[in-house]
Amino acid sequence: MPAGEAVVRCSERRPDGKPVGELEVSMFKAALIIDRDGILEEKARTVAETCAAASSEVAGTVAISLPGASGYRADVEPRRNSAGLPYVHVFAMAPHDLGIDGGVVVVVRSAAPEWPAAEQMLGSLRLLTRNGAPQPANDEEHPPLLPIVSRE
């Protein structure tokens, strides 16, 4: 499937109908051989800036490393109490397989700084390599490296 054509969204609501959180996964096409780190960092920052509301600010980007993949994380932090889903975490990552000319963007939006369902979904993340083999982003040997709440 070509990059940019598939977006997967998952959400959770409280019994009263108010949103708890939303997770979105999409793909993007990029020439990662030329400037891998720069492209992934820019993608994370750009998506985070797009998600930031007037009452929020992008806290910056942090490099992340996974078994078989790497990338960047950008956080949007609300400046004051905000309604809806003010906490936003953006992950732009790509497998180490240089035969793939694109990456994955994961956007997590939540009403509170912690959202356990997002932690579980990110813990189950798998990235496909050029030969179609799934590469776990997190596994039993490697503790989860995609923290939702705390910045490292």
Side-chain angles (χ1 to χ4, degrees):
M1 181 176 312
E5 288 190 14
V7 176
V8 176
R9 288 185 184 94
C10 303
S11 64
E12 179 182 7
R13 294 193 172 276
R14 296 186 334 200
D16 64 4
K18 291 185 179 180
V20 174
E22 175 179 285
L23 185 137
E24 177 181 294
V25 179
S26 62
M27 299 176 291
F28 67 95
K29 187 173 177 72
L32 295 172
I33 294 175
I34 297 169
D35 182 19
R36 177 187 178 87
D37 286 343
I39 290 169
L40 293 172
E41 182 175 18
E42 180 181 339
K43 188 67 169 179
R45 184 179 49 254
T46 301
V47 172
E49 288 170 353
T50 302
C51 294
S55 62
S56 303
E57 64 182 324
V58 177
T61 58
V62 177
I64 58 172
S65 180
L66 310 163
S70 64
Y72 282 81
R73 170 189 172 168
D75 296 308
V76 176
E77 296 177 357
R79 291 186 189 147
R80 58 183 181 269
N81 284 343
S82 300
L85 304 172
Y87 296 93
V88 180
H89 309 283
V90 177
F91 304 94
M93 63 195 93
H96 295 304
D97 184 347
L98 294 177
I100 297 175
D101 62 347
V104 175
V105 174
V106 178
V107 179
V108 177
R109 296 174 182 88
S110 60
E114 294 182 24
W115 181 29
E119 295 280 355
Q120 291 178 356
M121 287 184 274
L122 287 171
S124 69
L125 181 67
R126 301 289 184 265
L127 301 176
L128 293 178
T129 60
R130 178 177 20 170
N131 65 5
Q135 172 67 47
N138 299 296
D139 58 29
E140 291 179 13
E141 289 183 30
H142 303 87
L145 297 175
L146 293 174
I148 295 298
V149 181
S150 62
R151 291 173 49 212
E152 293 182 2

